[in-house]
Amino acid sequence: QPTRSKEDSVYLGTDGISLGRYFKVDKSGMLQVGHLNGKHWKMYANSGTEDSFIFYGSNTVMPNLNIERDSVYLGTNGISLGYYFQVNAEGTVLAGNVKNTKHWTITANEEEDRAYISFNTSSFNTDKESVYIGTDGISLGNDNSFWVTSEGEMHATIGTIGGWSLTKEYLISI
């Protein structure tokens, strides 16, 4: 194990080499690098209170989970792929948009101040066979047969509410 004494020291011995505190190679060839900066890659290993990470992106300041669009971050405090997908060290997932081939979508649109989970639609109260749960309301089915707005207005073409039966033709106490 090469010794490392000072920030500006150089060590060369039968057990390995070291250059300062952050670069060493032991006799087996194991390389340890504390900090590494390339054109777009950064690696920072810290034994203190700051997080250690590997980062790819054009950010020139110390990166963290709140990073830029075209970047990758893997650190002791979490991971992220751009700023639309992040998982912190506690396991909380932040996903801007999640889609799969079965037509389900989870999204948050900061520009429109709207978020939703949906199947087969991207809007509230559509005429498609769909499910929509969002900040602007809930809608199910097709032909606008059931929906509730974020203000609490409800529309249903058939059902039972508080002992009353509702159909397209009448409302009757049951």
Side-chain angles (χ1 to χ4, degrees), residues 40-60:
H40 294 288
W41 283 97
K42 292 181 175 131
M43 182 175 80
Y44 185 77
N46 186 18
S47 59
T49 58
E50 294 181 40
D51 294 310
S52 298
F53 61 84
I54 297 173
F55 170 76
Y56 174 83
S58 59
N59 190 341
T60 57

Side-chain angles (χ1 to χ4, degrees), residues 126-130 140-146:
T126 182
D127 60 356
K128 294 185 202 177
E129 186 69 38
S130 62
L140 306 169
N142 58 5
D143 298 326
N144 301 316
S145 56
F146 177 81

Side-chain angles (χ1 to χ4, degrees), residues 99-119:
K99 295 182 180 185
N100 73 19
T101 58
K102 302 291 185 189
H103 305 288
W104 280 96
T105 301
I106 301 172
T107 189
N109 187 327
E110 292 178 20
E111 293 171 6
E112 296 179 14
D113 195 28
R114 159 175 106 104
Y116 62 88
I117 299 171
S118 68
F119 174 78

Side-chain angles (χ1 to χ4, degrees), residues 140-148 154-162 164-172 174:
L140 306 169
N142 58 5
D143 298 326
N144 301 316
S145 56
F146 177 81
W147 49 264
V148 180
M154 184 175 81
H155 170 83
T157 56
I158 191 168
T160 303
I161 301 173
W164 289 84
S165 180
L166 169 72
T167 71
K168 288 184 179 186
E169 291 85 31
Y170 61 86
L171 175 67
I172 188 169
I174 50 175

Side-chain angles (χ1 to χ4, degrees), residues 4-71:
R4 298 182 296 176
S5 57
K6 293 199 260 180
E7 181 101 17
D8 59 354
S9 67
V10 176
Y11 174 83
L12 177 60
T14 57
D15 57 346
I17 63 171
S18 68
L19 302 171
R21 294 183 3 202
Y22 300 112
F23 180 89
K24 80 177 183 179
V25 181
D26 68 19
K27 66 181 177 182
S28 70
M30 171 75 88
L31 171 67
Q32 292 182 350
V33 179
H35 308 298
L36 176 66
N37 285 315
K39 182 174 180 181
H40 294 288
W41 283 97
K42 292 181 175 131
M43 182 175 80
Y44 185 77
N46 186 18
S47 59
T49 58
E50 294 181 40
D51 294 310
S52 298
F53 61 84
I54 297 173
F55 170 76
Y56 174 83
S58 59
N59 190 341
T60 57
V61 298
M62 186 66 83
N64 58 35
L65 277 176
N66 255 340
I67 58 176
E68 61 211 45
R69 171 182 229 121
D70 299 322
S71 61

